[in-house]
Amino acid sequence: MNAEAVRRVLANDDLDRVIAAQDEAALVSAMRAVVDRLADRERFFEAGSADRERIAQRAAVFLDDRSAADDAVMRLRHARGEWRERARAAEALLRSGNWTSARLLGSLAPRHPRTPPRSHEGADVAVASAMVIALREAVTPDFAARQETLRREGGVSFWQKKWHELLGHVAGNARAQGATREGAALSAMAAAAILEGEALCANDAHRALALTLGAGASCLLRRERAAERTTALSALTAALAEQNDVRLRFWDGYDADDVRLLGAAATAAALGRGGVTAPVPGRVGQPTIAFRLPEQWHERFSHVAASDAAEALERRSHDPRASEAERLMAEALAETLAAHPHAETVSFAEALGIEAAPLRTDDLRAGEPLFRAVTRARHPMFIVCSGKRGRALRCRAVANTEGALVGYRAFDPLSRELGKKPLYALYDLEGRRVGYAWADRQAVACFGAPEQGFASAPASLDF
Amino acid sequence: MHPPLVSVFAHDPIRAYVEALVAKAGFAHAPAEERLETVTALTAEAQRRVGFELMHAIDPHSLATFREMAADGATEDELIVFFDVRVPDAQERVRTALDRFGRECLERAARLRDELHL
């Protein structure tokens, strides 16, 4: 009877039954059908009914164990980077019945030679981390509740010292007998698991937890350290990150980003500034702080040129009537807008990468400060109007203090000056000349003629 | 329409703190690119350090609530407002955590400088 012959015989409905069997009884029944087929039809062997039943049972058990164990071993070997997956694989392996807790913990150890740390400190940190996990293993689950119980029954430190000393002795003994630091740590963890089992009447849940922690520890020990730390700054970053990693191991189920998000949100709440966006290494210069733009600023500046908005906000940042928070926001915005390389041709909203408020239009009113606007499509940013003596002028859209588009302005070289100061020519939205504005400071709409004192009366009166 | 969030670079308090720390640790004249990379990475570590401090201050239920909010895509405002309600002494804790982080950073930097004979 060779494997190929058996495979050929089993390529039928009986094999499907074996595969589809959901429990042990169904599997034995399916295997019995296979045994009968091999014995009766194919004459592979001779056996009585009792023997056939025993063969079917053994085959079923073997098949069940092999499939589970092989699968778990494969998962254990391949899940090198994911310690939770290693823990699940280890748990499945343990349930197959052929593995002990100690053997499993050993199997979680590094399988390849680890690059030796450059200093003793690195190894100490790894061992200390493993100890921390082993220590937690000894008092979990329900860590907080147990802490409270222990606090009532004699103090946390007393119990923790006891465990710490004990595990320290285990690790020390292993080291004295020639074990590596990793091996010593794993021995201590195995001891902790056994002690926990005895002390807490370990059940499956406890065992799974122990394996999870052990797998986490093994990954910690297995982690490759930087082969060469080229600079003090990178070493500093790595050292502080490592400290935080050790802290993280006290908090099962939390990953680094959970904690970072918590810290970022807390800081923003406590200090009134900042955001929760993760800083991205390698993308220096990305905005890392955010605040909610005041609504009136959003409406007022959305379509105003970034440079004009920056000047207005800069003035606001020194305005004693503004609150401290408003002054800080104004200052931050002014700096950001002024730094934009195309501040004169992009809008406030474009420079900040935000959605602009809807564009509104309004009438040009005398005495109203004007800001260069950035508009698209329906209301172009530039139009050509008729200047002095019919000369064509390229006029720039302007907005008022409410952010509404009110008209256009242009410097007309042939237009008048007053006191040798140049004036802008002002046009309404229809391109009709309506007035002037000083060209050497914040433009303010003025109607009439300069020599008449810029009459501010309405252009027409209704009687 | 809600007014939008505006992100700017100048007023991130943690980042400003870390930049000052790096300079105080004696790396003010490190190459600009490397220094900025370090500041970015250390800013994340400082945020984590504050996070650990806050995890001790928040009761487990609130902590679970925060994680649910984050997982459900709560807005930045909602995440921030969370602390106003749940952690009255958040400001003091944040400052304490940053202070400790700063001390650790400076101590580590001093040790590294000794080891590397800088």
Side-chain angles (χ1 to χ4, degrees), chain A residues 2 15 39 97 109 155 164 174 192 203 206-207 234 250 278 284 286 303 321 338 366 378 388 421 449 457 463:
Chain A
N2 59 46
L15 187 60
H164 191 80
N203 55 24
H206 294 151
R207 188 175 59 187
S234 60
F250 277 102
V284 176
Q286 284 292 104
H303 301 281
R321 294 169 296 178
R378 188 174 163 207
K388 186 87 171 178
K421 288 182 180 177
F463 293 97

mmCIF file with all atom_site columns, all heavy atoms in Angstrom, chain A residues 2 15 39 97 109 155 164 174 192 203 206-207 234 250 278 284 286 303 321 338 366 378 388 421 449 457 463:
data_model
loop_
_atom_site.group_PDB
_atom_site.id
_atom_site.type_symbol
_atom_site.label_atom_id
_atom_site.label_alt_id
_atom_site.label_comp_id
_atom_site.label_asym_id
_atom_site.label_entity_id
_atom_site.label_seq_id
_atom_site.pdbx_PDB_ins_code
_atom_site.Cartn_x
_atom_site.Cartn_y
_atom_site.Cartn_z
_atom_site.occupancy
_atom_site.B_iso_or_equiv
_atom_site.pdbx_formal_charge
_atom_site.auth_seq_id
_atom_site.auth_comp_id
_atom_site.auth_asym_id
_atom_site.auth_atom_id
_atom_site.pdbx_PDB_model_num
ATOM 1   N N   . ASN A 1 2   ? 0.895   1.922   -1.100  1.00 0.00 ? 2   ASN A N   1
ATOM 2   C CA  . ASN A 1 2   ? 1.703   3.144   -1.120  1.00 0.00 ? 2   ASN A CA  1
ATOM 3   C C   . ASN A 1 2   ? 0.796   4.379   -1.099  1.00 0.00 ? 2   ASN A C   1
ATOM 4   O O   . ASN A 1 2   ? -0.424  4.280   -1.296  1.00 0.00 ? 2   ASN A O   1
ATOM 5   C CB  . ASN A 1 2   ? 2.617   3.172   -2.352  1.00 0.00 ? 2   ASN A CB  1
ATOM 6   C CG  . ASN A 1 2   ? 1.835   3.094   -3.648  1.00 0.00 ? 2   ASN A CG  1
ATOM 7   O OD1 . ASN A 1 2   ? 0.835   3.796   -3.824  1.00 0.00 ? 2   ASN A OD1 1
ATOM 8   N ND2 . ASN A 1 2   ? 2.285   2.230   -4.538  1.00 0.00 ? 2   ASN A ND2 1
ATOM 9   N N   . LEU A 1 15  ? -13.581 11.034  1.220   1.00 0.00 ? 15  LEU A N   1
ATOM 10  C CA  . LEU A 1 15  ? -12.602 12.055  1.594   1.00 0.00 ? 15  LEU A CA  1
ATOM 11  C C   . LEU A 1 15  ? -13.307 13.379  1.937   1.00 0.00 ? 15  LEU A C   1
ATOM 12  O O   . LEU A 1 15  ? -12.931 14.072  2.880   1.00 0.00 ? 15  LEU A O   1
ATOM 13  C CB  . LEU A 1 15  ? -11.613 12.264  0.454   1.00 0.00 ? 15  LEU A CB  1
ATOM 14  C CG  . LEU A 1 15  ? -10.443 13.177  0.769   1.00 0.00 ? 15  LEU A CG  1
ATOM 15  C CD1 . LEU A 1 15  ? -9.635  12.632  1.923   1.00 0.00 ? 15  LEU A CD1 1
ATOM 16  C CD2 . LEU A 1 15  ? -9.560  13.336  -0.448  1.00 0.00 ? 15  LEU A CD2 1
ATOM 17  N N   . ALA A 1 39  ? -10.233 -1.780  3.087   1.00 0.00 ? 39  ALA A N   1
ATOM 18  C CA  . ALA A 1 39  ? -10.161 -3.200  3.450   1.00 0.00 ? 39  ALA A CA  1
ATOM 19  C C   . ALA A 1 39  ? -11.019 -4.056  2.525   1.00 0.00 ? 39  ALA A C   1
ATOM 20  O O   . ALA A 1 39  ? -10.575 -5.131  2.080   1.00 0.00 ? 39  ALA A O   1
ATOM 21  C CB  . ALA A 1 39  ? -10.600 -3.380  4.900   1.00 0.00 ? 39  ALA A CB  1
ATOM 22  N N   . GLY A 1 97  ? -1.923  18.974  22.763  1.00 0.00 ? 97  GLY A N   1
ATOM 23  C CA  . GLY A 1 97  ? -1.623  17.981  23.781  1.00 0.00 ? 97  GLY A CA  1
ATOM 24  C C   . GLY A 1 97  ? -0.209  17.468  23.774  1.00 0.00 ? 97  GLY A C   1
ATOM 25  O O   . GLY A 1 97  ? 0.197   16.750  24.685  1.00 0.00 ? 97  GLY A O   1
ATOM 26  N N   . ALA A 1 109 ? 11.441  31.510  21.996  1.00 0.00 ? 109 ALA A N   1
ATOM 27  C CA  . ALA A 1 109 ? 12.727  32.205  22.069  1.00 0.00 ? 109 ALA A CA  1
ATOM 28  C C   . ALA A 1 109 ? 13.279  32.455  20.669  1.00 0.00 ? 109 ALA A C   1
ATOM 29  O O   . ALA A 1 109 ? 12.800  31.881  19.696  1.00 0.00 ? 109 ALA A O   1
ATOM 30  C CB  . ALA A 1 109 ? 13.708  31.355  22.871  1.00 0.00 ? 109 ALA A CB  1
ATOM 31  N N   . GLY A 1 155 ? 0.066   45.449  51.076  1.00 0.00 ? 155 GLY A N   1
ATOM 32  C CA  . GLY A 1 155 ? 0.885   46.374  50.302  1.00 0.00 ? 155 GLY A CA  1
ATOM 33  C C   . GLY A 1 155 ? 1.369   45.781  48.997  1.00 0.00 ? 155 GLY A C   1
ATOM 34  O O   . GLY A 1 155 ? 1.819   44.646  48.949  1.00 0.00 ? 155 GLY A O   1
ATOM 35  N N   . HIS A 1 164 ? 9.628   39.782  42.430  1.00 0.00 ? 164 HIS A N   1
ATOM 36  C CA  . HIS A 1 164 ? 10.830  40.267  41.775  1.00 0.00 ? 164 HIS A CA  1
ATOM 37  C C   . HIS A 1 164 ? 12.063  39.483  42.237  1.00 0.00 ? 164 HIS A C   1
ATOM 38  O O   . HIS A 1 164 ? 12.884  39.046  41.430  1.00 0.00 ? 164 HIS A O   1
ATOM 39  C CB  . HIS A 1 164 ? 10.999  41.750  42.076  1.00 0.00 ? 164 HIS A CB  1
ATOM 40  C CG  . HIS A 1 164 ? 12.054  42.403  41.242  1.00 0.00 ? 164 HIS A CG  1
ATOM 41  N ND1 . HIS A 1 164 ? 11.839  42.793  39.945  1.00 0.00 ? 164 HIS A ND1 1
ATOM 42  C CD2 . HIS A 1 164 ? 13.346  42.696  41.515  1.00 0.00 ? 164 HIS A CD2 1
ATOM 43  C CE1 . HIS A 1 164 ? 12.938  43.322  39.462  1.00 0.00 ? 164 HIS A CE1 1
ATOM 44  N NE2 . HIS A 1 164 ? 13.872  43.276  40.390  1.00 0.00 ? 164 HIS A NE2 1
ATOM 45  N N   . ALA A 1 174 ? 19.945  30.518  36.231  1.00 0.00 ? 174 ALA A N   1
ATOM 46  C CA  . ALA A 1 174 ? 20.109  30.127  34.830  1.00 0.00 ? 174 ALA A CA  1
ATOM 47  C C   . ALA A 1 174 ? 21.379  30.727  34.244  1.00 0.00 ? 174 ALA A C   1
ATOM 48  O O   . ALA A 1 174 ? 22.120  30.050  33.521  1.00 0.00 ? 174 ALA A O   1
ATOM 49  C CB  . ALA A 1 174 ? 18.884  30.580  34.024  1.00 0.00 ? 174 ALA A CB  1
ATOM 50  N N   . ALA A 1 192 ? 7.512   31.874  36.334  1.00 0.00 ? 192 ALA A N   1
ATOM 51  C CA  . ALA A 1 192 ? 6.375   32.707  36.700  1.00 0.00 ? 192 ALA A CA  1
ATOM 52  C C   . ALA A 1 192 ? 5.068   32.053  36.278  1.00 0.00 ? 192 ALA A C   1
ATOM 53  O O   . ALA A 1 192 ? 4.075   32.090  37.005  1.00 0.00 ? 192 ALA A O   1
ATOM 54  C CB  . ALA A 1 192 ? 6.513   34.076  36.043  1.00 0.00 ? 192 ALA A CB  1
ATOM 55  N N   . ASN A 1 203 ? -6.367  28.331  34.851  1.00 0.00 ? 203 ASN A N   1
ATOM 56  C CA  . ASN A 1 203 ? -7.248  27.681  33.887  1.00 0.00 ? 203 ASN A CA  1
ATOM 57  C C   . ASN A 1 203 ? -6.759  28.056  32.484  1.00 0.00 ? 203 ASN A C   1
ATOM 58  O O   . ASN A 1 203 ? -5.691  28.654  32.315  1.00 0.00 ? 203 ASN A O   1
ATOM 59  C CB  . ASN A 1 203 ? -8.695  28.101  34.093  1.00 0.00 ? 203 ASN A CB  1
ATOM 60  C CG  . ASN A 1 203 ? -8.842  29.600  34.056  1.00 0.00 ? 203 ASN A CG  1
ATOM 61  O OD1 . ASN A 1 203 ? -8.015  30.285  33.455  1.00 0.00 ? 203 ASN A OD1 1
ATOM 62  N ND2 . ASN A 1 203 ? -9.866  30.101  34.711  1.00 0.00 ? 203 ASN A ND2 1
ATOM 63  N N   . HIS A 1 206 ? -5.898  31.762  31.957  1.00 0.00 ? 206 HIS A N   1
ATOM 64  C CA  . HIS A 1 206 ? -4.612  32.174  32.519  1.00 0.00 ? 206 HIS A CA  1
ATOM 65  C C   . HIS A 1 206 ? -3.457  31.694  31.649  1.00 0.00 ? 206 HIS A C   1
ATOM 66  O O   . HIS A 1 206 ? -2.490  32.401  31.417  1.00 0.00 ? 206 HIS A O   1
ATOM 67  C CB  . HIS A 1 206 ? -4.446  31.607  33.937  1.00 0.00 ? 206 HIS A CB  1
ATOM 68  C CG  . HIS A 1 206 ? -5.419  32.192  34.898  1.00 0.00 ? 206 HIS A CG  1
ATOM 69  N ND1 . HIS A 1 206 ? -5.869  31.510  35.983  1.00 0.00 ? 206 HIS A ND1 1
ATOM 70  C CD2 . HIS A 1 206 ? -6.040  33.385  34.914  1.00 0.00 ? 206 HIS A CD2 1
ATOM 71  C CE1 . HIS A 1 206 ? -6.737  32.256  36.649  1.00 0.00 ? 206 HIS A CE1 1
ATOM 72  N NE2 . HIS A 1 206 ? -6.850  33.409  36.021  1.00 0.00 ? 206 HIS A NE2 1
ATOM 73  N N   . ARG A 1 207 ? -3.592  30.462  31.169  1.00 0.00 ? 207 ARG A N   1
ATOM 74  C CA  . ARG A 1 207 ? -2.518  29.906  30.352  1.00 0.00 ? 207 ARG A CA  1
ATOM 75  C C   . ARG A 1 207 ? -2.336  30.712  29.060  1.00 0.00 ? 207 ARG A C   1
ATOM 76  O O   . ARG A 1 207 ? -1.225  31.027  28.655  1.00 0.00 ? 207 ARG A O   1
ATOM 77  C CB  . ARG A 1 207 ? -2.846  28.446  30.025  1.00 0.00 ? 207 ARG A CB  1
ATOM 78  C CG  . ARG A 1 207 ? -1.717  27.724  29.355  1.00 0.00 ? 207 ARG A CG  1
ATOM 79  C CD  . ARG A 1 207 ? -2.048  26.276  29.177  1.00 0.00 ? 207 ARG A CD  1
ATOM 80  N NE  . ARG A 1 207 ? -3.254  26.112  28.389  1.00 0.00 ? 207 ARG A NE  1
ATOM 81  C CZ  . ARG A 1 207 ? -3.860  24.953  28.179  1.00 0.00 ? 207 ARG A CZ  1
ATOM 82  N NH1 . ARG A 1 207 ? -3.382  23.875  28.740  1.00 0.00 ? 207 ARG A NH1 1
ATOM 83  N NH2 . ARG A 1 207 ? -4.930  24.869  27.432  1.00 0.00 ? 207 ARG A NH2 1
ATOM 84  N N   . SER A 1 234 ? 20.300  60.534  16.762  1.00 0.00 ? 234 SER A N   1
ATOM 85  C CA  . SER A 1 234 ? 19.499  59.337  16.487  1.00 0.00 ? 234 SER A CA  1
ATOM 86  C C   . SER A 1 234 ? 19.543  58.398  17.686  1.00 0.00 ? 234 SER A C   1
ATOM 87  O O   . SER A 1 234 ? 18.555  57.726  18.008  1.00 0.00 ? 234 SER A O   1
ATOM 88  C CB  . SER A 1 234 ? 19.984  58.638  15.227  1.00 0.00 ? 234 SER A CB  1
ATOM 89  O OG  . SER A 1 234 ? 21.322  58.250  15.384  1.00 0.00 ? 234 SER A OG  1
ATOM 90  N N   . PHE A 1 250 ? 3.309   47.793  30.040  1.00 0.00 ? 250 PHE A N   1
ATOM 91  C CA  . PHE A 1 250 ? 2.451   47.712  31.216  1.00 0.00 ? 250 PHE A CA  1
ATOM 92  C C   . PHE A 1 250 ? 0.976   47.779  30.825  1.00 0.00 ? 250 PHE A C   1
ATOM 93  O O   . PHE A 1 250 ? 0.108   47.534  31.636  1.00 0.00 ? 250 PHE A O   1
ATOM 94  C CB  . PHE A 1 250 ? 2.742   48.856  32.181  1.00 0.00 ? 250 PHE A CB  1
ATOM 95  C CG  . PHE A 1 250 ? 3.899   48.591  33.088  1.00 0.00 ? 250 PHE A CG  1
ATOM 96  C CD1 . PHE A 1 250 ? 5.133   49.169  32.851  1.00 0.00 ? 250 PHE A CD1 1
ATOM 97  C CD2 . PHE A 1 250 ? 3.765   47.758  34.176  1.00 0.00 ? 250 PHE A CD2 1
ATOM 98  C CE1 . PHE A 1 250 ? 6.203   48.923  33.680  1.00 0.00 ? 250 PHE A CE1 1
ATOM 99  C CE2 . PHE A 1 250 ? 4.826   47.513  35.015  1.00 0.00 ? 250 PHE A CE2 1
ATOM 100 C CZ  . PHE A 1 250 ? 6.052   48.090  34.763  1.00 0.00 ? 250 PHE A CZ  1
ATOM 101 N N   . ALA A 1 278 ? -0.426  63.188  14.061  1.00 0.00 ? 278 ALA A N   1
ATOM 102 C CA  . ALA A 1 278 ? 0.881   62.594  14.372  1.00 0.00 ? 278 ALA A CA  1
ATOM 103 C C   . ALA A 1 278 ? 1.981   63.308  13.593  1.00 0.00 ? 278 ALA A C   1
ATOM 104 O O   . ALA A 1 278 ? 1.834   63.533  12.395  1.00 0.00 ? 278 ALA A O   1
ATOM 105 C CB  . ALA A 1 278 ? 0.878   61.120  14.018  1.00 0.00 ? 278 ALA A CB  1
ATOM 106 N N   . VAL A 1 284 ? 9.375   67.082  7.574   1.00 0.00 ? 284 VAL A N   1
ATOM 107 C CA  . VAL A 1 284 ? 9.535   68.244  8.427   1.00 0.00 ? 284 VAL A CA  1
ATOM 108 C C   . VAL A 1 284 ? 8.954   69.467  7.731   1.00 0.00 ? 284 VAL A C   1
ATOM 109 O O   . VAL A 1 284 ? 9.127   69.657  6.538   1.00 0.00 ? 284 VAL A O   1
ATOM 110 C CB  . VAL A 1 284 ? 11.020  68.452  8.732   1.00 0.00 ? 284 VAL A CB  1
ATOM 111 C CG1 . VAL A 1 284 ? 11.228  69.708  9.547   1.00 0.00 ? 284 VAL A CG1 1
ATOM 112 C CG2 . VAL A 1 284 ? 11.566  67.257  9.465   1.00 0.00 ? 284 VAL A CG2 1
ATOM 113 N N   . GLN A 1 286 ? 5.700   70.056  7.869   1.00 0.00 ? 286 GLN A N   1
ATOM 114 C CA  . GLN A 1 286 ? 4.264   69.869  7.827   1.00 0.00 ? 286 GLN A CA  1
ATOM 115 C C   . GLN A 1 286 ? 3.630   70.549  9.029   1.00 0.00 ? 286 GLN A C   1
ATOM 116 O O   . GLN A 1 286 ? 4.207   70.563  10.110  1.00 0.00 ? 286 GLN A O   1
ATOM 117 C CB  . GLN A 1 286 ? 3.935   68.374  7.894   1.00 0.00 ? 286 GLN A CB  1
ATOM 118 C CG  . GLN A 1 286 ? 4.187   67.645  6.599   1.00 0.00 ? 286 GLN A CG  1
ATOM 119 C CD  . GLN A 1 286 ? 3.217   68.085  5.530   1.00 0.00 ? 286 GLN A CD  1
ATOM 120 O OE1 . GLN A 1 286 ? 3.579   68.838  4.649   1.00 0.00 ? 286 GLN A OE1 1
ATOM 121 N NE2 . GLN A 1 286 ? 1.990   67.661  5.617   1.00 0.00 ? 286 GLN A NE2 1
ATOM 122 N N   . HIS A 1 303 ? -11.530 84.924  0.651   1.00 0.00 ? 303 HIS A N   1
ATOM 123 C CA  . HIS A 1 303 ? -11.181 85.274  -0.732  1.00 0.00 ? 303 HIS A CA  1
ATOM 124 C C   . HIS A 1 303 ? -10.210 86.443  -0.808  1.00 0.00 ? 303 HIS A C   1
ATOM 125 O O   . HIS A 1 303 ? -9.954  86.966  -1.900  1.00 0.00 ? 303 HIS A O   1
ATOM 126 C CB  . HIS A 1 303 ? -12.463 85.582  -1.514  1.00 0.00 ? 303 HIS A CB  1
ATOM 127 C CG  . HIS A 1 303 ? -13.412 84.430  -1.531  1.00 0.00 ? 303 HIS A CG  1
ATOM 128 N ND1 . HIS A 1 303 ? -13.253 83.344  -2.371  1.00 0.00 ? 303 HIS A ND1 1
ATOM 129 C CD2 . HIS A 1 303 ? -14.496 84.158  -0.771  1.00 0.00 ? 303 HIS A CD2 1
ATOM 130 C CE1 . HIS A 1 303 ? -14.214 82.464  -2.144  1.00 0.00 ? 303 HIS A CE1 1
ATOM 131 N NE2 . HIS A 1 303 ? -14.987 82.936  -1.172  1.00 0.00 ? 303 HIS A NE2 1
ATOM 132 N N   . ARG A 1 321 ? -7.489  95.446  22.045  1.00 0.00 ? 321 ARG A N   1
ATOM 133 C CA  . ARG A 1 321 ? -8.895  95.090  22.273  1.00 0.00 ? 321 ARG A CA  1
ATOM 134 C C   . ARG A 1 321 ? -9.135  93.600  22.070  1.00 0.00 ? 321 ARG A C   1
ATOM 135 O O   . ARG A 1 321 ? -10.130 93.060  22.539  1.00 0.00 ? 321 ARG A O   1
ATOM 136 C CB  . ARG A 1 321 ? -9.798  95.885  21.312  1.00 0.00 ? 321 ARG A CB  1
ATOM 137 C CG  . ARG A 1 321 ? -9.788  97.377  21.568  1.00 0.00 ? 321 ARG A CG  1
ATOM 138 C CD  . ARG A 1 321 ? -10.476 98.104  20.444  1.00 0.00 ? 321 ARG A CD  1
ATOM 139 N NE  . ARG A 1 321 ? -9.743  97.921  19.186  1.00 0.00 ? 321 ARG A NE  1
ATOM 140 C CZ  . ARG A 1 321 ? -10.129 98.414  18.021  1.00 0.00 ? 321 ARG A CZ  1
ATOM 141 N NH1 . ARG A 1 321 ? -11.231 99.114  17.926  1.00 0.00 ? 321 ARG A NH1 1
ATOM 142 N NH2 . ARG A 1 321 ? -9.405  98.200  16.937  1.00 0.00 ? 321 ARG A NH2 1
ATOM 143 N N   . ALA A 1 338 ? 2.188   85.006  5.537   1.00 0.00 ? 338 ALA A N   1
ATOM 144 C CA  . ALA A 1 338 ? 3.276   85.809  4.976   1.00 0.00 ? 338 ALA A CA  1
ATOM 145 C C   . ALA A 1 338 ? 4.386   84.933  4.407   1.00 0.00 ? 338 ALA A C   1
ATOM 146 O O   . ALA A 1 338 ? 5.107   85.343  3.494   1.00 0.00 ? 338 ALA A O   1
ATOM 147 C CB  . ALA A 1 338 ? 3.829   86.736  6.050   1.00 0.00 ? 338 ALA A CB  1
ATOM 148 N N   . ALA A 1 366 ? -18.268 104.126 0.293   1.00 0.00 ? 366 ALA A N   1
ATOM 149 C CA  . ALA A 1 366 ? -17.213 105.084 0.608   1.00 0.00 ? 366 ALA A CA  1
ATOM 150 C C   . ALA A 1 366 ? -16.708 104.865 2.028   1.00 0.00 ? 366 ALA A C   1
ATOM 151 O O   . ALA A 1 366 ? -17.473 104.523 2.929   1.00 0.00 ? 366 ALA A O   1
ATOM 152 C CB  . ALA A 1 366 ? -17.742 106.505 0.458   1.00 0.00 ? 366 ALA A CB  1
ATOM 153 N N   . ARG A 1 378 ? -16.619 82.846  -12.090 1.00 0.00 ? 378 ARG A N   1
ATOM 154 C CA  . ARG A 1 378 ? -17.701 83.797  -12.356 1.00 0.00 ? 378 ARG A CA  1
ATOM 155 C C   . ARG A 1 378 ? -17.262 85.249  -12.188 1.00 0.00 ? 378 ARG A C   1
ATOM 156 O O   . ARG A 1 378 ? -17.623 86.121  -12.959 1.00 0.00 ? 378 ARG A O   1
ATOM 157 C CB  . ARG A 1 378 ? -18.863 83.484  -11.406 1.00 0.00 ? 378 ARG A CB  1
ATOM 158 C CG  . ARG A 1 378 ? -20.102 84.270  -11.709 1.00 0.00 ? 378 ARG A CG  1
ATOM 159 C CD  . ARG A 1 378 ? -21.245 83.795  -10.828 1.00 0.00 ? 378 ARG A CD  1
ATOM 160 N NE  . ARG A 1 378 ? -22.300 84.793  -10.820 1.00 0.00 ? 378 ARG A NE  1
ATOM 161 C CZ  . ARG A 1 378 ? -23.136 84.960  -9.830  1.00 0.00 ? 378 ARG A CZ  1
ATOM 162 N NH1 . ARG A 1 378 ? -23.046 84.200  -8.772  1.00 0.00 ? 378 ARG A NH1 1
ATOM 163 N NH2 . ARG A 1 378 ? -24.067 85.883  -9.898  1.00 0.00 ? 378 ARG A NH2 1
ATOM 164 N N   . LYS A 1 388 ? -7.777  106.538 -17.769 1.00 0.00 ? 388 LYS A N   1
ATOM 165 C CA  . LYS A 1 388 ? -7.683  107.924 -18.220 1.00 0.00 ? 388 LYS A CA  1
ATOM 166 C C   . LYS A 1 388 ? -7.455  107.965 -19.729 1.00 0.00 ? 388 LYS A C   1
ATOM 167 O O   . LYS A 1 388 ? -6.601  107.232 -20.245 1.00 0.00 ? 388 LYS A O   1
ATOM 168 C CB  . LYS A 1 388 ? -6.512  108.570 -17.484 1.00 0.00 ? 388 LYS A CB  1
ATOM 169 C CG  . LYS A 1 388 ? -6.356  110.042 -17.730 1.00 0.00 ? 388 LYS A CG  1
ATOM 170 C CD  . LYS A 1 388 ? -7.209  110.827 -16.760 1.00 0.00 ? 388 LYS A CD  1
ATOM 171 C CE  . LYS A 1 388 ? -6.852  112.310 -16.877 1.00 0.00 ? 388 LYS A CE  1
ATOM 172 N NZ  . LYS A 1 388 ? -7.672  113.138 -16.001 1.00 0.00 ? 388 LYS A NZ  1
ATOM 173 N N   . LYS A 1 421 ? 1.087   112.051 -4.175  1.00 0.00 ? 421 LYS A N   1
ATOM 174 C CA  . LYS A 1 421 ? 0.815   110.666 -3.770  1.00 0.00 ? 421 LYS A CA  1
ATOM 175 C C   . LYS A 1 421 ? -0.047  110.016 -4.843  1.00 0.00 ? 421 LYS A C   1
ATOM 176 O O   . LYS A 1 421 ? -1.072  110.582 -5.237  1.00 0.00 ? 421 LYS A O   1
ATOM 177 C CB  . LYS A 1 421 ? 0.056   110.633 -2.439  1.00 0.00 ? 421 LYS A CB  1
ATOM 178 C CG  . LYS A 1 421 ? 0.904   111.014 -1.239  1.00 0.00 ? 421 LYS A CG  1
ATOM 179 C CD  . LYS A 1 421 ? 0.078   110.911 0.026   1.00 0.00 ? 421 LYS A CD  1
ATOM 180 C CE  . LYS A 1 421 ? 0.893   111.289 1.245   1.00 0.00 ? 421 LYS A CE  1
ATOM 181 N NZ  . LYS A 1 421 ? 0.062   111.268 2.467   1.00 0.00 ? 421 LYS A NZ  1
ATOM 182 N N   . ALA A 1 449 ? -14.038 113.346 -6.601  1.00 0.00 ? 449 ALA A N   1
ATOM 183 C CA  . ALA A 1 449 ? -12.748 113.743 -7.145  1.00 0.00 ? 449 ALA A CA  1
ATOM 184 C C   . ALA A 1 449 ? -11.834 114.164 -6.013  1.00 0.00 ? 449 ALA A C   1
ATOM 185 O O   . ALA A 1 449 ? -12.288 114.759 -5.046  1.00 0.00 ? 449 ALA A O   1
ATOM 186 C CB  . ALA A 1 449 ? -12.934 114.892 -8.128  1.00 0.00 ? 449 ALA A CB  1
ATOM 187 N N   . ALA A 1 457 ? -20.857 111.505 -0.483  1.00 0.00 ? 457 ALA A N   1
ATOM 188 C CA  . ALA A 1 457 ? -22.300 111.434 -0.674  1.00 0.00 ? 457 ALA A CA  1
ATOM 189 C C   . ALA A 1 457 ? -22.617 110.348 -1.674  1.00 0.00 ? 457 ALA A C   1
ATOM 190 O O   . ALA A 1 457 ? -21.778 109.975 -2.495  1.00 0.00 ? 457 ALA A O   1
ATOM 191 C CB  . ALA A 1 457 ? -22.821 112.764 -1.185  1.00 0.00 ? 457 ALA A CB  1
ATOM 192 N N   . PHE A 1 463 ? -35.636 110.885 -4.949  1.00 0.00 ? 463 PHE A N   1
ATOM 193 C CA  . PHE A 1 463 ? -36.619 111.795 -4.336  1.00 0.00 ? 463 PHE A CA  1
ATOM 194 C C   . PHE A 1 463 ? -37.995 111.183 -4.412  1.00 0.00 ? 463 PHE A C   1
ATOM 195 O O   . PHE A 1 463 ? -38.340 110.542 -5.397  1.00 0.00 ? 463 PHE A O   1
ATOM 196 C CB  . PHE A 1 463 ? -36.620 113.157 -5.056  1.00 0.00 ? 463 PHE A CB  1
ATOM 197 C CG  . PHE A 1 463 ? -35.321 113.894 -4.845  1.00 0.00 ? 463 PHE A CG  1
ATOM 198 C CD1 . PHE A 1 463 ? -34.325 113.836 -5.786  1.00 0.00 ? 463 PHE A CD1 1
ATOM 199 C CD2 . PHE A 1 463 ? -35.134 114.632 -3.688  1.00 0.00 ? 463 PHE A CD2 1
ATOM 200 C CE1 . PHE A 1 463 ? -33.134 114.503 -5.590  1.00 0.00 ? 463 PHE A CE1 1
ATOM 201 C CE2 . PHE A 1 463 ? -33.935 115.300 -3.509  1.00 0.00 ? 463 PHE A CE2 1
ATOM 202 C CZ  . PHE A 1 463 ? -32.930 115.252 -4.461  1.00 0.00 ? 463 PHE A CZ  1
#
